């Protein structure tokens, strides 16, 4: 992906300044010229600070070019020494031998500190990471200071006194200044080395790999998990797992969450369910000997095949949302024992797609997450009609019909903002613009349209009584952990031990209170761009009188409310072809890219007697999401119990064979 022009210009400028500073330092050292030497060295140090504070990417580029921080720092100090020698009479040059020896000793200590830092990091890289589990038996300790773990900033800080001393000596001719600076650098390096070496003592370092694995096996035997959520993905994909946390926690059994990427540990939202991260396949396969019976998969990933190898566990695919897109009937689904879908429409979708998923393996469970979506209560009663525009992202296949943002987004937003009685909530997909730069640019223009519309509106704002700030602090206290910036995964394990009793219920209450305070803090006339994790999409559903979206799972989920909705058609198909191709649009108003249908749509929302699609929405809801009774959570639980029973039945033959082997072995022993 090409860098934006401004970022590229900044990088070129920083590189040019650093190169010019080095050239100037060389010239100043060889001539010699003290003012130029001082200025060039100061400029070089300033650029180093900029690199490590704002241009981390360039640090990597320099390292790949064999010009890392150590090379640059050695060159800078070497040129200072050369300059000093050029300025010093030949008879006095031997006085600088001690200074050179001190510098060499400092760089040797720097290498020793780096080696100790690597060893400490390895001892703190555990084969199993946990959350919501008491892992104190693993001798978890706080992490070393961040400065000791980052060689670039550490060398800058530790080496600064030596460099400053050499500069003062160059300006004054007094060698004691350089000696004092070098001594300070040596002292800092020694203190850092001592701190790291102490952490390598057997009593101070965390448990070793085998000890951790033994502890994990013991925890599995004690906790006896029955059902798990398996998730692997990228940095921005955690929402796919987070939407299943609450239904998982409500299951009748012993739930657990299995992750594969270390960074994902802090991406998973607040939950009381135990979380374990198993990066290595060998560690993952230890689950085969556990009581785990069912793993629920909300997404496919390259690492999914690794866990499917465990024969003692039944696997089911639940997806992170359902729509008419091809991704909702991926051929990979046939790799699972069962595929759990919301309603009959998804079953029909798999049958029509002919991707190898047999109908007997499809189980309808509804959408347990939608219990929080409030039902339709009639037309807007206030002065404003709240419209939620929640387009999806552009996807990987380049299909122009994936998202309306590029071709229709601005037209839709302009048409909505032109109506004085509309209050717009714009909530773009978090991945918008990640593949197609046009989508990102359109998203930014839409946000500016919303800001401009707000500048044209005037009205009274609610008095800030601090309620939202109080609710935010309370919710953050319950859902986030307060880590030091230097905290590593081991320190976070130490702090994220067994949660307080009743925390899940407290989070639910705090979330409801926060949402009330959030909406109360906003003027009812003000349009909003919603991009943060809070408020959630479902919270926006409950505020909206109308949804405008694309062919995505957002539409299916919104149907739980039976409120009016519209789907933007940017596929190039006629309306009849579009409805036939995408059944989720069957009860929607289909909008063309020019947004000509928006006024009529708003009129139908405000006057239900003109809403000709209400009965169609109710019927489509049942087809997409299944019946209201039993509830989705109950059906979800029943599906888990049924698949767990199947897993137990599959284990029995193997258990009987083991028992027969043991029995035969005993008989042979007796006969012997």
């Amino acid at each position: 992906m090409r860098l934006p022009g401004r970022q590229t210009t900044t990088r070129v400028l920083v590189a040019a300044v650093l190169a010019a500073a080095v050239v100037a330092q060389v010239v100043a050292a060889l001539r010699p010229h003290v003012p130029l030497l001082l200025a060039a060295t100061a400029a070089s140090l300033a650029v180093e600070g900029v690199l490590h504070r704002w241009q981390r990417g360039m640090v990597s580029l320099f390292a790949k070019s064999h010009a890392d921080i150590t090379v640059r720092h050695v060159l800078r100090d070497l040129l200072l020494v050369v300059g000093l020698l050029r300025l010093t009479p030949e008879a006095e040059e031997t006085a600088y031998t001690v200074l050179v020896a001190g510098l060499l000793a400092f760089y040797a200590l720097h290498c020793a500190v780096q080696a100790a830092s690597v060893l400490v990091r390895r001892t703190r890289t555990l084969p199993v990471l946990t959350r919501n589990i008491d892992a104190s038996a693993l001798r978890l300790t706080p992490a070393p200071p961040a400065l000791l773990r980052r060689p670039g900033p550490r060398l800058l800080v530790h080496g600064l006194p030596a460099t400053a001393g050499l500069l003062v000596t160059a300006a004054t001719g007094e060698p004691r200044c350089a000696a004092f600076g070098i001594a300070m650098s040596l002292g800092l390096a020694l203190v850092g080395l001592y701190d790291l070496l102490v952490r390598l003592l057997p009593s101070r370092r965390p448990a070793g790999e085998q000890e951790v694995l033994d502890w994990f096996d013991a925890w599995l035997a004690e906790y006896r998990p029955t059902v798990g959520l398996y998730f692997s993905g990228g940095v921005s994909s955690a929402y796919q797992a987070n939407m299943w946390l609450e239904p998982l926690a409500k299951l009748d059994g012993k739930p657990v969450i299995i992750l594969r990427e270390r960074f994902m540990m802090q991406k998973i939202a607040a939950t009381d369910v135990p979380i374990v991260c198993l990066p290595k396949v060998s560690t993952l396969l230890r689950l085969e000997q556990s009581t785990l019976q069912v793993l629920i998969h909300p997404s496919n990933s390259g690492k999914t095949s690794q866990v499917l190898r465990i024969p003692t566990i039944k696997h089911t695919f639940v997806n992170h949302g359902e729509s008419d897109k091809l991704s909702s009937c991926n051929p990979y689904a046939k790799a699972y024992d069962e595929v759990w879908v919301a309603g009959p429409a998804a079953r029909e979708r798999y049958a029509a797609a002919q991707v190898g998923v047999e109908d007997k393996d499809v189980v309808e469970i509804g959408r347990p997450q939608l219990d929080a979506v409030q039902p339709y209560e009639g037309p807007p009663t206030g002065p404003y009609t709240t419209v939620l525009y929640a387009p999806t992202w552009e996807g990987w296949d380049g299909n122009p019909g994936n998202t309306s943002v590029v071709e229709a987004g601005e037209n839709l937003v302009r048409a909505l903002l032109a109506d004085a009685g509309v209050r717009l909530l714009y909530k773009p997909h978090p991945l918008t613009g990640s593949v197609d730069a046009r989508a990102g640019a359109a998203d930014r223009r839409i946000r500016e349209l919303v800001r401009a519309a707000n500048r044209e509106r005037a009205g009274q704002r609610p008095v800030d009584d601090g309620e939202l700030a109080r609710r935010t602090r309370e919710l953050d206290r319950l859902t986030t952990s307060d880590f030091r910036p230097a905290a590593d995964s081991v320190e976070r394990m130490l702090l994220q031990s067994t949660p307080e009793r009743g925390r899940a219920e407290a989070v639910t209450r705090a979330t409801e209170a926060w949402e009330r305070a959030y909406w109360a803090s906003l003027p009812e006339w003000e349009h909003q761009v919603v991009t943060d994790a809070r408020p959630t999409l479902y919270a926006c559903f409950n505020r909206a009188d109308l949804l405008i979206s694309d062919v995505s799972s957002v539409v299916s989920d919104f149907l739980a409310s039976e409120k009016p909705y519209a789907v933007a058609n940017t596929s190039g198909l006629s309306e009849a072809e579009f409805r036939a191709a995408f059944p989720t649009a069957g009860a929607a108003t289909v909008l063309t890219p020019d947004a000509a249908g928006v006024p009529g749509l708003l009129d139908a929302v405000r006057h239900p007697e003109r809403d000709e699609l209400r009965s169609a929405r109710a019927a489509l809801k049942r087809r997409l999401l299944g019946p209201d009774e039993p509830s989705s959570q109950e059906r979800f639980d029943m599906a888990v119990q049924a698949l767990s029973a199947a897993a137990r039945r599959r284990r029995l033959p193997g258990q009987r064979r083991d028992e027969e082997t043991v029995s035969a072995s005993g008989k042979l022993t007796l006969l012997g």
Side-chain angles (χ1 to χ4, degrees), residues 46-212:
V47 173
E48 293 286 0
V50 171
L51 284 173
H52 288 276
R53 180 65 179 85
W54 293 291
Q55 295 291 331
R56 298 281 181 84
M58 289 195 68
V59 173
S60 299
L61 288 176
F62 278 123
K64 291 176 182 178
S65 304
H66 303 288
D68 61 11
I69 178 64
T70 303
V71 172
R72 297 195 301 272
H73 208 283
V74 169
L75 178 62
R76 186 161 44 243
D77 286 349
L78 176 63
L79 290 173
L80 280 174
V81 171
V82 170
L84 287 174
L85 293 175
R86 298 278 292 172
L87 290 166
T88 304
E90 187 174 346
E92 301 177 13
E93 287 182 357
T94 55
Y96 288 92
T97 303
V98 176
L99 299 182
V100 173
L103 270 178
L104 292 175
F106 166 71
Y107 284 110
L109 274 176
H110 167 70
C111 294
V113 172
Q114 179 59 18
S117 176
V118 170
L119 290 175
V120 169
R121 184 176 70 247
R122 288 180 179 176
T123 64
R124 298 179 66 84
T125 304
L126 305 185
V128 178
L129 300 182
T130 66
R131 254 179 68 183
N132 301 334
I133 299 173
D134 181 6
S136 56
L138 300 179
R139 301 190 301 276
L140 307 179
T141 57
L147 189 66
L148 295 181
R149 307 205 308 266
R150 298 170 56 193
R154 182 179 67 242
L155 183 56
L156 282 176
V157 172
H158 287 181
L160 185 60
T163 304
L166 291 170
L167 282 173
V168 174
T169 297
T172 64
E174 180 53 66
R176 284 179 297 182
C177 297
F180 179 72
I182 292 171
M184 284 188 63
S185 291
L186 285 168
L188 290 173
L190 283 170
V191 170
L193 181 61
Y194 172 79
D195 182 283
L196 293 171
L197 290 177
V198 168
R199 295 174 186 273
L200 291 173
L201 295 174
S203 61
R204 294 289 302 273
R205 62 174 179 254
E209 181 172 355
Q210 189 56 51
E211 189 177 352
V212 173

Side-chain angles (χ1 to χ4, degrees), residues 296-315:
I296 299 168
H297 299 258
S299 69
N300 296 311
S301 75
K303 296 179 180 179
T304 300
S305 61
Q306 297 170 350
V307 75
L308 293 178
R309 295 161 56 184
I310 301 179
T312 57
I313 299 175
K314 287 284 189 178
H315 301 269

Side-chain angles (χ1 to χ4, degrees), residues 219-270:
W219 178 83
L220 287 172
E222 179 183 359
Y223 180 66
R224 298 187 64 80
T226 57
V227 57
L229 181 76
Y230 177 90
F231 188 72
S232 171
V235 175
S236 59
S237 64
Y239 72 95
Q240 299 171 357
N242 287 335
M243 67 172 57
W244 286 98
L245 296 183
E246 188 172 348
L248 180 73
K250 292 179 179 179
L251 288 174
D252 183 15
K254 289 290 191 71
V256 65
I257 298 170
I258 309 294
L259 305 177
R260 302 302 309 283
E261 291 82 20
R262 297 176 185 272
F263 67 80
M264 192 62 72
M265 290 293 288
Q266 304 309 317
K267 298 292 183 181
I268 299 299

Side-chain angles (χ1 to χ4, degrees), residues 424-428 443 446-451 454 518 522 526-532 534-535 540:
L424 175 64
L425 305 179
Y426 174 53
K427 188 172 178 61
D443 171 55
I446 290 172
R447 298 186 192 204
E448 181 53 40
L449 287 173
V450 174
R451 287 191 289 267
N454 280 333
Y518 173 80
L522 303 174
E526 188 176 59
H527 309 295
Q528 301 296 328
V529 176
V530 184
T531 56
D532 294 334
R534 297 194 295 252
C540 294

